[in-house]
Amino acid sequence: NAGVTQTPKFQVLKTGQSMTLQCAQDMNHEYMSWYRQDPGMGLRLIHYSVGAGITDQGEVPNGYNVSRSTTEDFPLRLLSAAPSQTSVYFCASRTGTFLQADTQYFGPGTRLTVL
Amino acid sequence: AQSVTQLGSHVSVSEGALVLLRCNYSSSVPPYLFWYVQYPNQGLQLLLKYTTGATLVKGINGFEAEFKKSETSFHLTKPSAHMSDAAEYFCAVSDRGSGNQFYFGTGTSLTVIP
């Protein structure tokens, strides 16, 4: 049971480049989410999904796209990277869509730098 | 939208001293409340959570937190700090209604002085 895995661990992009951050979980969790962590700002929700084929926006969705074709995977796409997207990105998952108090499990993070 | 306030971005305590990390939330309806810990270069790990019932919640590693509705607070405490407690601590909330959006505080960095 690997939990929540994220790849890559580190990435450097040039402004305007695109890339996909990968997230996978093997716990059969319905709910998955992406956060970005910036100094002095805590974690902010980018997008979340309550099941395959269902996604919704969080607090800071601009510049990011997501899709959920399987229960296990929830990739985050940056279509045209900007320096303001330099951050540490965390993926998380939890059981159930209506059990809001269930524990969220976090991945180890992806540190992204946009030059 | 919810807001979560953590007073003190940096807290230093001596080893063996009381740890007190403060968290206040903004909503009039009590949300679900969480405390997470983040060690350097790692993801977040749940320490404890409050959903309903007893307002004093015990978590892992000797931490506990008390929900006080009248003060809209959920402060985290540990009677005796250990060197291994040095980390970043985040308070978080989610609405009882929708539940799909989590709001985190800005974090408190705890330093334990030997």
Side-chain angles (χ1 to χ4, degrees):
Chain A
N1 191 335
V4 180
T5 58
Q6 292 183 238
T7 55
K9 289 187 177 181
F10 302 94
Q11 183 70 49
V12 179
L13 292 178
K14 294 181 179 179
T15 296
Q17 286 185 317
S18 63
M19 80 157 296
T20 299
L21 307 185
Q22 301 291 345
C23 174
Q25 52 90 10
D26 60 359
M27 298 173 282
N28 202 31
H29 287 171
E30 296 180 12
Y31 179 97
M32 296 184 73
S33 55
W34 277 101
Y35 295 88
R36 59 177 290 172
Q37 183 179 26
D38 301 294
M41 302 191 73
L43 278 77
R44 291 179 292 170
L45 183 65
I46 303 171
H47 285 286
Y48 66 92
S49 169
V50 297
I54 306 170
T55 64
D56 206 346
Q57 297 180 350
E59 186 180 356
V60 288
N62 293 339
Y64 307 94
N65 281 348
V66 293
S67 61
R68 184 97 178 268
S69 56
T70 67
T71 299
E72 296 78 18
D73 300 299
F74 190 44
L76 178 71
R77 283 182 286 277
L78 286 71
L79 297 179
S80 179
S84 60
Q85 294 178 304
T86 294
S87 187
V88 181
Y89 291 84
F90 288 99
C91 180
S93 72
R94 70 159 199 255
T95 59
T97 55
F98 301 106
L99 300 175
Q100 300 93 334
D102 277 1
T103 299
Q104 281 202 97
Y105 295 87
F106 284 80
T110 294
R111 189 174 297 273
L112 175 68
T113 301
V114 183
L115 303 176
Chain B
Q2 286 269 7
S3 70
V4 181
T5 302
Q6 289 184 241
L7 287 177
S9 57
H10 294 89
V11 171
S12 294
V13 300
S14 297
E15 190 174 17
L18 171 72
V19 176
L20 170 61
L21 305 182
R22 300 179 186 273
C23 174
N24 288 87
Y25 61 90
S26 64
S27 67
S28 57
V29 176
Y32 295 122
L33 296 153
F34 307 81
W35 274 101
Y36 284 86
V37 61
Q38 184 182 33
Y39 298 103
N41 299 314
Q42 295 186 25
L44 277 71
Q45 178 184 3
L46 182 68
L47 277 177
L48 48 80
K49 63 183 179 183
Y50 171 76
T51 57
T52 187
T55 57
L56 182 63
V57 180
K58 295 186 183 300
I60 62 172
N61 301 338
F63 283 93
E64 59 184 36
E66 185 172 12
F67 166 60
K68 291 187 177 181
K69 182 178 179 180
S70 61
E71 299 177 6
T72 61
S73 68
F74 191 55
H75 301 332
L76 181 71
T77 61
K78 182 174 181 177
S80 176
H82 191 272
M83 295 299 294
S84 61
D85 294 327
E88 187 92 16
Y89 291 81
F90 292 94
C91 182
V93 305
S94 69
D95 289 333
R96 291 178 182 268
S98 64
N100 290 323
Q101 301 232 13
F102 275 70
Y103 301 92
F104 282 82
T106 54
T108 297
S109 178
L110 177 66
T111 299
V112 181
I113 303 167

